[in-house]
């Protein structure tokens, strides 16, 4: 198993609904409305456990956890694990994030 130092993480800048909020995407973090999610999103269109951040030495990606409204990257619904790159736009429900660098 890889050590935490070898894993790549990204930050995202929220565009909507809370402009300028920065969120760090680290491997294994679950994104959703549930209070026990590592990345808590207060959006009624986001599932309780919406997506998971997947990281490796190759980069950072998102995996949809069977959410009702899906995960969109650059306007396309993602299936399975979708790699993220700086400049990508991620949509979870009504929440929009702009992917930044490390």
């Amino acid at each position: 198993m890889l050590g935490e130092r070898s894993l790549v993480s990204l930050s995202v800048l929220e565009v909507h609904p809370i402009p300028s909020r920065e969120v760090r995407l680290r491997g294994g973090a679950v994104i959703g409305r549930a209070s026990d999610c590592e990345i808590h999103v207060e959006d009624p269109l986001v599932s309780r456990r919406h997506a998971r951040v997947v990281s490796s030495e190759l980069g950072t990606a998102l995996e949809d956890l069977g959410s009702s409204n899906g995960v969109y990257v650059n306007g396309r619904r993602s299936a399975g694990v979708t790699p993220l790159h700086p400049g990508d736009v991620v949509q979870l429900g009504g929440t929009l994030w702009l992917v930044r660098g490390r």
Side-chain angles (χ1 to χ4, degrees), residues 65-89:
L65 296 177
S67 65
S68 297
N69 292 313
V71 173
Y72 291 81
V73 177
N74 298 324
R76 292 193 169 131
R77 188 165 186 155
S78 66
V81 177
T82 303
L84 298 177
H85 307 284
D88 286 345
V89 175

Side-chain angles (χ1 to χ4, degrees), residues 25-40:
L25 301 181
R26 288 190 169 83
V30 174
I31 304 165
R33 283 185 300 114
S35 60
D36 63 340
C37 287
E38 290 85 359
I39 302 173
H40 183 77

Side-chain angles (χ1 to χ4, degrees), residues 16-29:
H16 179 78
I18 306 171
S20 300
R21 177 176 90 141
E22 190 168 345
V23 178
R24 194 88 174 139
L25 301 181
R26 288 190 169 83

